Coordinates of all heavy atoms in Angstrom, one line a residue:
M1195 N -9.9 22.3 -9.6 CA -10.8 22.7 -8.5 C -10.6 21.7 -7.3 O -10.0 20.6 -7.5 CB -12.3 22.6 -9.0 CG -12.8 21.2 -9.3 SD -14.6 21.1 -9.1 CE -14.8 21.6 -7.4
S1196 N -11.1 22.1 -6.2 CA -11.0 21.3 -5.0 C -12.3 20.9 -4.4 O -13.3 21.6 -4.4 CB -10.2 22.1 -3.9 OG -8.9 22.4 -4.4
L1197 N -12.4 19.7 -3.9 CA -13.5 19.2 -3.1 C -13.0 18.9 -1.7 O -11.9 18.4 -1.5 CB -14.1 17.9 -3.7 CG -14.6 18.0 -5.1 CD1 -15.1 16.7 -5.6 CD2 -15.8 19.0 -5.2
T1198 N -13.8 19.2 -0.7 CA -13.3 19.0 0.7 C -14.4 18.3 1.5 O -15.6 18.3 1.2 CB -13.0 20.3 1.4 OG1 -14.2 21.1 1.4 CG2 -11.9 21.1 0.7
C1199 N -13.9 17.7 2.6 CA -14.9 17.1 3.6 C -14.1 17.0 4.9 O -12.8 16.9 4.9 CB -15.4 15.7 3.1 SG -14.1 14.4 3.1
P1200 N -14.8 16.9 6.0 CA -14.1 16.7 7.3 C -13.5 15.3 7.3 O -14.1 14.3 6.8 CB -15.2 16.8 8.3 CG -16.4 17.5 7.6 CD -16.2 17.1 6.1
L1201 N -12.3 15.2 7.8 CA -11.7 13.9 8.0 C -12.6 12.9 8.8 O -12.6 11.7 8.5 CB -10.3 14.0 8.6 CG -9.5 12.7 8.8 CD1 -9.3 12.0 7.5 CD2 -8.2 13.0 9.5
A1202 N -13.3 13.5 9.7 CA -14.1 12.7 10.6 C -15.3 12.1 9.8 O -15.9 11.1 10.3 CB -14.7 13.6 11.7
A1203 N -15.6 12.6 8.6 CA -16.7 12.1 7.8 C -16.2 10.8 7.1 O -17.1 10.1 6.5 CB -17.2 13.1 6.8
V1204 N -14.9 10.6 7.1 CA -14.5 9.4 6.4 C -13.4 8.7 7.3 O -12.3 8.7 7.1 CB -13.9 9.7 5.0 CG1 -12.8 10.7 5.0 CG2 -13.5 8.5 4.2
P1205 N -14.0 8.0 8.3 CA -13.1 7.3 9.3 C -12.5 6.1 8.6 O -12.9 5.6 7.6 CB -14.0 7.0 10.4 CG -15.4 6.9 9.8 CD -15.4 7.9 8.7
P1206 N -11.4 5.6 9.3 CA -10.8 4.4 8.7 C -11.8 3.2 8.4 O -12.7 3.0 9.2 CB -9.8 3.9 9.8 CG -9.5 5.2 10.5 CD -10.8 6.0 10.5
G1207 N -11.7 2.7 7.2 CA -12.6 1.6 6.8 C -13.8 2.1 6.1 O -14.7 1.2 5.8
S1208 N -13.9 3.4 5.8 CA -15.1 3.9 5.2 C -14.7 4.6 3.9 O -13.6 4.8 3.6 CB -15.8 4.8 6.1 OG -15.1 6.1 6.2
A1209 N -15.8 4.9 3.2 CA -15.7 5.7 1.9 C -16.8 6.7 1.9 O -17.8 6.6 2.5 CB -15.8 4.7 0.7
L1210 N -16.5 7.8 1.1 CA -17.5 8.9 1.0 C -17.4 9.4 -0.5 O -16.4 9.6 -1.0 CB -17.1 10.0 1.9 CG -18.0 11.2 2.0 CD1 -19.3 10.8 2.7 CD2 -17.3 12.3 2.9
R1211 N -18.6 9.6 -1.0 CA -18.7 10.2 -2.3 C -18.8 11.7 -2.2 O -19.6 12.2 -1.4 CB -20.0 9.7 -3.1 CG -20.3 10.4 -4.4 CD -21.6 9.9 -4.9 NE -22.1 10.8 -6.0 CZ -22.3 10.4 -7.2 NH1 -22.1 9.1 -7.6 NH2 -22.7 11.2 -8.1
L1212 N -18.0 12.5 -2.9 CA -18.0 13.9 -3.0 C -18.6 14.3 -4.3 O -18.0 14.0 -5.3 CB -16.6 14.5 -2.7 CG -15.9 14.1 -1.4 CD1 -14.5 14.8 -1.4 CD2 -16.7 14.5 -0.2
D1213 N -19.7 15.1 -4.3 CA -20.3 15.5 -5.6 C -19.7 16.8 -6.0 O -19.5 17.8 -5.2 CB -21.8 15.7 -5.4 CG -22.4 14.3 -5.3 OD1 -22.1 13.4 -6.1 OD2 -23.3 14.1 -4.4
G1214 N -19.4 16.9 -7.3 CA -18.8 18.1 -7.9 C -19.0 17.9 -9.4 O -19.7 17.1 -9.8
P1215 N -18.3 18.7 -10.2 CA -18.3 18.5 -11.6 C -18.0 17.1 -12.0 O -18.5 16.5 -13.0 CB -17.3 19.5 -12.2 CG -17.1 20.5 -11.1 CD -17.4 19.8 -9.8
V1216 N -17.1 16.5 -11.2 CA -16.7 15.1 -11.4 C -16.9 14.5 -10.0 O -16.3 14.9 -9.0 CB -15.2 14.9 -11.8 CG1 -14.9 13.5 -11.9 CG2 -15.0 15.6 -13.1
P1217 N -17.8 13.5 -9.9 CA -17.9 12.8 -8.6 C -16.7 12.1 -8.2 O -16.1 11.4 -9.0 CB -19.1 11.9 -8.8 CG -19.5 11.9 -10.2 CD -18.7 12.9 -10.9
V1218 N -16.3 12.2 -7.0 CA -15.0 11.6 -6.5 C -15.3 10.8 -5.3 O -16.2 11.1 -4.5 CB -14.0 12.8 -6.1 CG1 -12.8 12.2 -5.3 CG2 -13.5 13.5 -7.4
A1219 N -14.7 9.6 -5.2 CA -14.8 8.7 -4.1 C -13.6 8.8 -3.2 O -12.4 8.7 -3.7 CB -15.0 7.3 -4.5
V1220 N -13.8 9.1 -1.9 CA -12.7 9.2 -1.0 C -12.7 8.0 -0.1 O -13.8 7.6 0.5 CB -12.8 10.5 -0.1 CG1 -11.7 10.5 0.9 CG2 -12.7 11.7 -1.0
F1221 N -11.6 7.3 0.1 CA -11.5 6.1 0.9 C -10.4 6.3 2.0 O -9.4 6.9 1.7 CB -11.0 4.9 0.0 CG -12.0 4.6 -1.1 CD1 -11.9 5.2 -2.3 CD2 -12.9 3.6 -0.9 CE1 -12.8 4.9 -3.3 CE2 -13.8 3.3 -1.9 CZ -13.7 3.9 -3.1
N1222 N -10.7 5.8 3.2 CA -9.8 5.8 4.2 C -9.4 4.4 4.6 O -10.3 3.6 5.0 CB -10.4 6.5 5.5 CG -9.4 6.7 6.6 OD1 -8.4 5.9 6.7 ND2 -9.6 7.7 7.4
V1223 N -8.2 4.0 4.2 CA -7.8 2.6 4.4 C -6.7 2.6 5.5 O -5.6 3.0 5.3 CB -7.2 2.0 3.2 CG1 -6.7 0.5 3.4 CG2 -8.2 2.1 2.0
A1224 N -7.2 2.3 6.7 CA -6.3 2.2 7.9 C -5.5 3.6 8.1 O -4.3 3.6 8.4 CB -5.3 1.1 7.8
G1225 N -6.2 4.7 7.9 CA -5.6 6.0 8.1 C -5.0 6.6 6.9 O -4.7 7.8 6.9
A1226 N -4.8 5.9 5.8 CA -4.3 6.4 4.5 C -5.6 6.8 3.7 O -6.5 6.0 3.5 CB -3.5 5.4 3.8
V1227 N -5.6 8.0 3.2 CA -6.7 8.5 2.5 C -6.4 8.6 1.0 O -5.4 9.1 0.6 CB -7.2 9.9 3.0 CG1 -8.4 10.4 2.2 CG2 -7.5 9.8 4.5
Y1228 N -7.3 8.0 0.1 CA -7.1 8.0 -1.3 C -8.4 8.6 -2.0 O -9.5 8.5 -1.4 CB -7.0 6.6 -1.8 CG -5.8 5.8 -1.2 CD1 -6.1 5.0 -0.1 CD2 -4.5 5.9 -1.6 CE1 -5.0 4.3 0.5 CE2 -3.5 5.2 -1.0 CZ -3.8 4.4 0.1 OH -2.7 3.8 0.7
A1229 N -8.2 9.2 -3.1 CA -9.3 9.7 -3.9 C -9.2 9.2 -5.4 O -8.2 9.3 -6.0 CB -9.4 11.2 -3.8
I1230 N -10.3 8.7 -5.8 CA -10.4 8.3 -7.2 C -11.7 8.8 -7.8 O -12.6 9.2 -7.1 CB -10.3 6.8 -7.4 CG1 -11.5 6.1 -6.7 CG2 -9.0 6.2 -6.9 CD1 -11.6 4.6 -6.9
D1231 N -11.8 8.8 -9.2 CA -13.1 9.0 -9.8 C -14.2 8.0 -9.2 O -13.9 6.8 -9.1 CB -13.1 8.9 -11.3 CG -12.4 10.1 -12.0 OD1 -12.3 11.1 -11.4 OD2 -12.0 9.9 -13.1
D1232 N -15.3 8.6 -8.9 CA -16.3 7.7 -8.2 C -17.0 6.8 -9.2 O -17.5 5.7 -8.8 CB -17.4 8.6 -7.5 CG -18.4 7.7 -6.8 OD1 -18.0 6.9 -5.9 OD2 -19.6 7.8 -7.1
T1233 N -17.1 7.2 -10.5 CA -17.9 6.4 -11.4 C -17.0 5.3 -12.0 O -16.0 5.6 -12.6 CB -18.5 7.3 -12.5 OG1 -19.2 8.4 -11.9 CG2 -19.4 6.5 -13.5
C1234 N -17.5 4.1 -11.9 CA -16.8 2.9 -12.5 C -16.6 3.2 -14.0 O -17.5 3.8 -14.7 CB -17.6 1.7 -12.3 SG -16.9 0.2 -12.9
T1235 N -15.5 2.7 -14.6 CA -15.3 2.8 -16.0 C -16.0 1.8 -16.8 O -15.9 1.8 -18.1 CB -13.8 2.8 -16.3 OG1 -13.2 1.5 -15.9 CG2 -13.0 3.9 -15.7
H1236 N -16.7 0.9 -16.2 CA -17.5 -0.2 -16.9 C -18.9 0.4 -17.3 O -19.2 0.5 -18.4 CB -17.6 -1.5 -16.1 CG -18.3 -2.5 -16.8 ND1 -19.4 -3.2 -16.2 CD2 -18.2 -3.0 -18.1 CE1 -19.9 -4.1 -17.1 NE2 -19.2 -4.0 -18.2
Q1237 N -19.6 0.7 -16.2 CA -20.9 1.3 -16.4 C -21.1 2.3 -15.3 O -20.1 2.8 -14.8 CB -22.1 0.2 -16.4 CG -22.0 -0.6 -17.7 CD -23.1 -1.7 -17.7 OE1 -24.0 -1.7 -16.9 NE2 -23.1 -2.6 -18.7
D1238 N -22.4 2.7 -15.0 CA -22.6 3.8 -14.1 C -22.9 3.3 -12.7 O -24.0 3.2 -12.3 CB -23.8 4.6 -14.6 CG -23.9 5.9 -13.9 OD1 -23.0 6.3 -13.2 OD2 -25.0 6.6 -14.0
A1239 N -21.8 3.0 -12.0 CA -21.9 2.6 -10.6 C -21.0 3.5 -9.8 O -19.9 3.9 -10.2 CB -21.6 1.1 -10.5
S1240 N -21.4 3.7 -8.5 CA -20.6 4.5 -7.6 C -19.6 3.6 -6.8 O -20.0 2.7 -6.1 CB -21.5 5.2 -6.6 OG -20.8 5.8 -5.6
L1241 N -18.3 3.9 -7.1 CA -17.3 3.0 -6.4 C -17.3 3.3 -4.9 O -16.8 2.4 -4.1 CB -15.9 3.3 -7.0 CG -15.8 2.8 -8.5 CD1 -14.5 3.2 -9.1 CD2 -16.1 1.3 -8.6
A1242 N -17.8 4.4 -4.5 CA -17.9 4.7 -3.0 C -18.8 3.7 -2.3 O -18.7 3.5 -1.1 CB -18.3 6.1 -2.7
D1243 N -19.6 3.0 -3.1 CA -20.5 2.0 -2.5 C -19.9 0.6 -2.6 O -20.6 -0.4 -2.3 CB -21.9 2.0 -3.3 CG -22.7 3.3 -3.0 OD1 -22.5 3.9 -2.0 OD2 -23.5 3.6 -3.9
G1244 N -18.7 0.5 -3.1 CA -18.1 -0.8 -3.3 C -17.4 -1.3 -2.0 O -17.5 -0.7 -0.9
W1245 N -16.7 -2.4 -2.1 CA -16.1 -3.1 -1.0 C -14.6 -2.9 -1.2 O -14.0 -3.0 -2.3 CB -16.4 -4.6 -1.0 CG -17.9 -4.8 -0.7 CD1 -18.5 -4.9 0.5 CD2 -18.9 -4.9 -1.7 NE1 -19.9 -5.0 0.3 CE2 -20.2 -5.1 -1.0 CE3 -19.0 -4.9 -3.1 CZ2 -21.4 -5.2 -1.7 CZ3 -20.2 -5.0 -3.8 CH2 -21.4 -5.2 -3.0
V1246 N -13.9 -2.6 -0.1 CA -12.5 -2.4 -0.1 C -11.8 -3.5 0.6 O -12.2 -3.9 1.7 CB -12.1 -1.0 0.6 CG1 -10.6 -0.9 0.6 CG2 -12.8 0.1 -0.2
E1247 N -10.7 -4.0 0.0 CA -9.8 -5.0 0.6 C -8.4 -4.8 0.0 O -8.2 -4.7 -1.2 CB -10.3 -6.4 0.2 CG -9.6 -7.5 1.0 CD -10.2 -8.8 0.8 OE1 -11.3 -8.9 0.3 OE2 -9.5 -9.8 1.1
D1248 N -7.5 -4.6 0.9 CA -6.1 -4.5 0.5 C -5.9 -3.4 -0.5 O -5.2 -3.6 -1.5 CB -5.5 -5.8 0.0 CG -5.5 -6.9 1.0 OD1 -5.4 -6.5 2.2 OD2 -5.5 -8.1 0.6
C1249 N -6.4 -2.2 -0.2 CA -6.2 -1.0 -1.1 C -6.8 -1.2 -2.5 O -6.4 -0.5 -3.5 CB -4.8 -0.6 -1.2 SG -4.3 0.6 -0.1
H1250 N -7.8 -2.2 -2.6 CA -8.5 -2.3 -3.9 C -10.0 -2.2 -3.6 O -10.5 -2.6 -2.5 CB -8.3 -3.7 -4.5 CG -6.9 -3.9 -5.1 ND1 -5.8 -4.0 -4.3 CD2 -6.4 -3.9 -6.3 CE1 -4.7 -4.1 -5.0 NE2 -5.1 -4.0 -6.3
V1251 N -10.7 -1.5 -4.5 CA -12.2 -1.4 -4.3 C -12.8 -2.3 -5.4 O -12.4 -2.3 -6.5 CB -12.6 0.1 -4.4 CG1 -12.3 0.7 -5.8 CG2 -14.1 0.2 -4.1
E1252 N -13.9 -3.0 -4.9 CA -14.6 -3.8 -5.9 C -15.9 -3.1 -6.2 O -16.7 -2.7 -5.3 CB -14.9 -5.2 -5.2 CG -15.7 -6.1 -6.1 CD -15.9 -7.4 -5.4 OE1 -14.9 -8.1 -5.0 OE2 -17.1 -7.8 -5.3
C1253 N -16.2 -2.9 -7.5 CA -17.4 -2.2 -7.9 C -18.6 -3.0 -7.4 O -18.7 -4.2 -7.5 CB -17.4 -2.1 -9.4 SG -18.9 -1.4 -10.0
P1254 N -19.7 -2.3 -6.9 CA -20.8 -3.0 -6.4 C -21.7 -3.6 -7.4 O -22.6 -4.4 -7.1 CB -21.6 -1.9 -5.6 CG -21.2 -0.6 -6.3 CD -19.7 -0.8 -6.7
L1255 N -21.5 -3.2 -8.7 CA -22.4 -3.7 -9.8 C -22.0 -5.0 -10.4 O -22.7 -6.0 -10.5 CB -22.6 -2.6 -10.8 CG -23.9 -2.6 -11.6 CD1 -25.1 -2.8 -10.7 CD2 -24.0 -1.4 -12.5
H1256 N -20.7 -5.0 -10.9 CA -20.3 -6.2 -11.6 C -18.9 -6.7 -11.1 O -18.2 -7.5 -11.8 CB -20.2 -6.0 -13.1 CG -21.5 -5.5 -13.7 ND1 -21.5 -4.2 -14.2 CD2 -22.7 -6.1 -13.9 CE1 -22.8 -4.0 -14.7 NE2 -23.5 -5.1 -14.5
A1257 N -18.4 -6.1 -10.0 CA -17.3 -6.6 -9.3 C -15.9 -6.4 -10.0 O -14.9 -7.1 -9.7 CB -17.4 -8.1 -9.0
S1258 N -15.8 -5.4 -10.9 CA -14.5 -5.0 -11.3 C -13.7 -4.5 -10.1 O -14.3 -3.9 -9.2 CB -14.6 -3.8 -12.3 OG -15.1 -4.3 -13.6
T1259 N -12.4 -4.6 -10.2 CA -11.6 -4.0 -9.0 C -10.6 -3.0 -9.6 O -10.1 -3.1 -10.7 CB -10.9 -5.2 -8.3 OG1 -10.1 -5.9 -9.2 CG2 -11.8 -6.1 -7.6
F1260 N -10.3 -2.0 -8.7 CA -9.4 -0.9 -9.0 C -8.5 -0.7 -7.8 O -8.9 -0.8 -6.7 CB -10.2 0.4 -9.2 CG -11.2 0.3 -10.4 CD1 -12.5 -0.1 -10.2 CD2 -10.8 0.6 -11.7 CE1 -13.4 -0.2 -11.2 CE2 -11.7 0.5 -12.8 CZ -13.0 0.1 -12.5
D1261 N -7.2 -0.5 -8.1 CA -6.2 -0.1 -7.1 C -6.4 1.3 -6.7 O -6.4 2.2 -7.5 CB -4.8 -0.4 -7.7 CG -3.8 -0.3 -6.6 OD1 -3.8 0.6 -5.8 OD2 -2.8 -1.1 -6.7
L1262 N -6.7 1.5 -5.4 CA -6.9 2.9 -4.9 C -5.7 3.8 -5.0 O -5.8 5.0 -5.1 CB -7.4 2.8 -3.5 CG -8.7 2.1 -3.2 CD1 -8.9 2.1 -1.7 CD2 -9.8 2.8 -3.9
R1263 N -4.5 3.2 -5.1 CA -3.3 4.0 -5.1 C -2.9 4.4 -6.5 O -2.4 5.5 -6.7 CB -2.1 3.1 -4.6 CG -2.3 2.7 -3.1 CD -1.5 1.5 -2.7 NE -1.9 0.3 -3.4 CZ -1.6 -0.9 -3.1 NH1 -0.8 -1.1 -2.2 NH2 -2.1 -1.9 -3.8
T1264 N -3.3 3.6 -7.5 CA -2.9 4.0 -8.9 C -4.1 4.2 -9.8 O -3.9 4.7 -10.9 CB -2.0 2.8 -9.5 OG1 -2.9 1.6 -9.5 CG2 -0.8 2.6 -8.6
G1265 N -5.3 3.7 -9.4 CA -6.4 3.7 -10.3 C -6.5 2.6 -11.3 O -7.5 2.4 -12.0
E1266 N -5.4 1.8 -11.3 CA -5.4 0.7 -12.3 C -6.5 -0.3 -12.1 O -6.9 -0.6 -11.0 CB -4.0 -0.1 -12.0 CG -3.9 -1.3 -12.9 CD -2.7 -2.1 -12.5 OE1 -2.0 -1.8 -11.5 OE2 -2.4 -3.1 -13.2
C1267 N -7.1 -0.7 -13.2 CA -8.1 -1.7 -13.2 C -7.5 -3.1 -13.0 O -6.6 -3.5 -13.8 CB -8.9 -1.7 -14.5 SG -10.2 -2.9 -14.5
T1268 N -7.8 -3.8 -11.9 CA -7.1 -5.0 -11.5 C -8.1 -6.2 -11.7 O -7.7 -7.3 -11.3 CB -6.5 -4.9 -10.1 OG1 -7.6 -4.5 -9.2 CG2 -5.4 -3.9 -10.1
G1269 N -9.3 -6.0 -12.1 CA -10.2 -7.1 -12.3 C -11.3 -6.7 -13.2 O -11.8 -5.6 -13.2
P1270 N -11.7 -7.7 -14.2 CA -12.8 -7.4 -15.1 C -14.2 -7.3 -14.5 O -14.3 -7.8 -13.4 CB -12.6 -8.5 -16.1 CG -12.1 -9.7 -15.3 CD -11.3 -9.0 -14.2
P1271 N -15.2 -6.8 -15.2 CA -15.2 -6.6 -16.7 C -14.7 -5.2 -17.1 O -14.5 -5.0 -18.3 CB -16.7 -6.7 -17.0 CG -17.4 -6.3 -15.8 CD -16.5 -6.8 -14.6
A1272 N -14.5 -4.3 -16.2 CA -13.9 -3.0 -16.6 C -12.5 -3.2 -17.2 O -11.8 -4.2 -16.8 CB -13.9 -2.0 -15.5
K1273 N -12.2 -2.4 -18.1 CA -10.8 -2.5 -18.7 C -10.0 -1.2 -18.5 O -8.8 -1.3 -18.5 CB -10.9 -2.7 -20.3 CG -11.6 -4.0 -20.6 CD -11.6 -4.2 -22.2 CE -12.0 -5.6 -22.6 NZ -13.4 -5.8 -22.4
R1274 N -10.7 -0.1 -18.4 CA -9.9 1.2 -18.3 C -9.7 1.5 -16.8 O -10.6 1.2 -15.9 CB -10.7 2.3 -19.0 CG -10.7 2.2 -20.5 CD -11.5 3.2 -21.2 NE -12.9 3.0 -20.9 CZ -13.7 3.9 -20.3 NH1 -13.2 5.1 -19.9 NH2 -15.0 3.7 -20.1
P1275 N -8.6 2.2 -16.5 CA -8.4 2.7 -15.1 C -9.3 3.8 -14.7 O -9.9 4.5 -15.6 CB -6.9 3.1 -15.1 CG -6.7 3.6 -16.6 CD -7.6 2.6 -17.4
V1276 N -9.4 4.1 -13.4 CA -10.1 5.3 -13.0 C -8.9 6.3 -12.7 O -7.8 5.9 -12.4 CB -10.9 5.1 -11.7 CG1 -12.2 4.3 -12.1 CG2 -10.1 4.4 -10.6
R1277 N -9.3 7.6 -12.7 CA -8.3 8.6 -12.4 C -8.1 8.7 -10.8 O -9.0 8.5 -10.1 CB -8.7 10.0 -12.9 CG -8.8 10.0 -14.4 CD -9.1 11.4 -14.8 NE -10.3 12.0 -14.1 CZ -10.6 13.3 -14.1 NH1 -9.8 14.2 -14.8 NH2 -11.6 13.7 -13.4
T1278 N -6.9 9.0 -10.4 CA -6.6 9.2 -9.0 C -6.4 10.7 -8.9 O -6.1 11.4 -9.8 CB -5.3 8.5 -8.5 OG1 -4.2 9.0 -9.3 CG2 -5.5 7.0 -8.7
H1279 N -6.7 11.2 -7.7 CA -6.6 12.7 -7.4 C -5.8 12.9 -6.1 O -5.9 12.1 -5.1 CB -8.0 13.2 -7.2 CG -8.9 13.0 -8.4 ND1 -8.8 13.7 -9.6 CD2 -9.9 12.1 -8.6 CE1 -9.7 13.2 -10.4 NE2 -10.4 12.3 -9.8
P1280 N -4.9 13.9 -6.1 CA -4.1 14.2 -5.0 C -4.9 14.6 -3.8 O -5.9 15.3 -3.9 CB -3.2 15.3 -5.4 CG -3.4 15.5 -6.9 CD -4.7 14.8 -7.2
V1281 N -4.5 14.0 -2.6 CA -5.3 14.3 -1.4 C -4.3 15.0 -0.4 O -3.1 14.6 -0.2 CB -5.7 13.0 -0.7 CG1 -6.3 13.3 0.7 CG2 -6.8 12.3 -1.6
T1282 N -4.8 16.1 0.2 CA -4.0 16.7 1.3 C -5.0 16.8 2.5 O -6.2 17.0 2.4 CB -3.5 18.1 1.0 OG1 -4.5 18.9 0.5 CG2 -2.4 18.0 0.0
I1283 N -4.4 16.6 3.7 CA -5.2 16.7 5.0 C -4.5 17.7 5.9 O -3.3 17.7 6.1 CB -5.2 15.3 5.7 CG1 -5.8 14.3 4.7 CG2 -6.0 15.4 7.0 CD1 -5.7 12.9 5.3
A1284 N -5.3 18.7 6.3 CA -4.8 19.7 7.2 C -6.0 20.2 8.1 O -7.1 20.4 7.6 CB -4.3 20.9 6.4
A1285 N -5.7 20.3 9.3 CA -6.6 20.8 10.3 C -7.9 20.0 10.3 O -9.0 20.6 10.4 CB -6.9 22.3 10.1
G1286 N -7.8 18.7 10.1 CA -9.0 17.9 10.1 C -9.9 18.0 8.8 O -11.0 17.5 8.8
I1287 N -9.3 18.6 7.8 CA -10.1 18.7 6.5 C -9.4 17.9 5.4 O -8.1 18.1 5.2 CB -10.3 20.2 6.1 CG1 -11.0 20.9 7.2 CG2 -10.9 20.3 4.8 CD1 -12.5 20.5 7.4
V1288 N -10.1 17.1 4.7 CA -9.5 16.4 3.6 C -9.8 17.3 2.3 O -10.9 17.7 2.1 CB -10.2 15.0 3.4 CG1 -9.7 14.3 2.1 CG2 -10.0 14.1 4.6
R1289 N -8.7 17.5 1.6 CA -8.9 18.3 0.4 C -8.4 17.5 -0.8 O -7.3 16.9 -0.8 CB -8.1 19.6 0.5 CG -8.0 20.4 -0.8 CD -7.2 21.6 -0.7 NE -6.6 22.0 -2.0 CZ -6.3 23.2 -2.3 NH1 -6.4 24.2 -1.4 NH2 -5.8 23.5 -3.5
V1290 N -9.3 17.4 -1.8 CA -9.0 16.6 -3.0 C -8.9 17.6 -4.2 O -9.8 18.3 -4.5 CB -10.1 15.6 -3.3 CG1 -9.8 14.8 -4.6 CG2 -10.3 14.7 -2.1
D1291 N -7.7 17.6 -4.8 CA -7.6 18.5 -6.0 C -8.0 17.7 -7.2 O -7.3 16.7 -7.6 CB -6.1 18.9 -6.1 CG -5.8 19.9 -5.0 OD1 -6.6 20.9 -4.8 OD2 -4.8 19.8 -4.3
V1292 N -9.1 18.1 -7.8 CA -9.6 17.3 -8.9 C -9.3 18.0 -10.2 O -9.5 19.2 -10.4 CB -11.2 17.2 -8.8 CG1 -11.8 16.4 -9.9 CG2 -11.6 16.6 -7.4
V1293 N -8.8 17.2 -11.1 CA -8.5 17.8 -12.5 C -9.8 17.6 -13.3 O -10.3 16.5 -13.5 CB -7.3 17.0 -13.1 CG1 -7.1 17.5 -14.6 CG2 -6.1 17.1 -12.3
V1294 N -10.3 18.7 -13.7 CA -11.5 18.7 -14.5 C -11.2 18.9 -16.0 O -10.6 20.0 -16.3 CB -12.6 19.8 -14.0 CG1 -13.8 19.7 -14.9 CG2 -12.9 19.6 -12.6
T1295 N -11.4 18.0 -16.8 CA -11.1 18.1 -18.2 C -12.4 18.5 -18.9 O -13.5 18.0 -18.7 CB -10.6 16.8 -18.8 OG1 -11.5 15.7 -18.5 CG2 -9.2 16.4 -18.2
T1296 N -12.2 19.4 -19.9 CA -13.4 19.8 -20.7 C -13.3 19.2 -22.1 O -12.2 19.0 -22.6 CB -13.4 21.4 -20.8 OG1 -12.1 21.8 -21.3 CG2 -13.7 22.0 -19.5
P1297 N -14.4 18.8 -22.6 CA -14.4 18.1 -23.9 C -13.9 19.0 -25.0 O -13.9 20.2 -24.9 CB -15.8 17.7 -24.1 CG -16.7 18.5 -23.1 CD -15.8 19.0 -22.1
Ligands
FES2280 S1 -20.4 -1.0 -13.4 FE1 -18.6 -1.4 -12.3 S2 -18.1 -3.4 -13.0 FE2 -19.9 -2.9 -14.1

């Protein structure tokens, strides 16, 4: 499935949470747009509310860090990566193709 938002809603230096079956966080880092699962893999925190530095987001709750490009967990206490999702931008619209897995 796809989630969309206007590119203008996520200007450089900002992040936006997109609600869907899986909440997704969209980040604009100096014009490059990334999408990852919004929920931290440690506990229930929204990574869209975190702090971004050098393509890494720091969770607002306990400061785990994740690489926005790969989803890799780069700082504890979280151990598991977050998923990344492909982003396309056309006509001022950001489209995130989210893989929804069913249990
Ligand atoms: S909830 Fe993200 S580090 Fe604990």
Side-chain angles (χ1 to χ4, degrees):
M1195 68 155 302
S1196 297
L1197 298 175
T1198 60
C1199 67
L1201 180 58
V1204 58
S1208 73
L1210 183 67
R1211 173 187 165 118
L1212 302 180
D1213 287 315
V1216 178
V1218 168
V1220 176
F1221 298 86
N1222 186 333
V1223 181
V1227 179
Y1228 304 96
I1230 61 174
D1231 281 344
D1232 183 57
T1233 306
C1234 182
T1235 59
H1236 179 233
Q1237 290 180 7
D1238 191 13
S1240 171
L1241 294 175
D1243 291 335
W1245 295 272
V1246 175
E1247 188 173 345
D1248 294 337
C1249 267
H1250 289 73
V1251 61
E1252 181 180 305
C1253 176
L1255 204 50
H1256 309 109
S1258 290
T1259 55
F1260 299 90
D1261 190 318
L1262 297 176
R1263 297 158 294 194
T1264 64
E1266 177 188 4
C1267 180
T1268 53
K1273 295 184 172 71
R1274 289 177 292 119
V1276 289
R1277 298 184 309 164
T1278 60
H1279 304 286
V1281 173
T1282 53
I1283 301 171
I1287 299 294
V1288 176
R1289 174 182 152 153
V1290 181
D1291 289 312
V1292 182
V1293 177
V1294 179
T1295 53
T1296 50

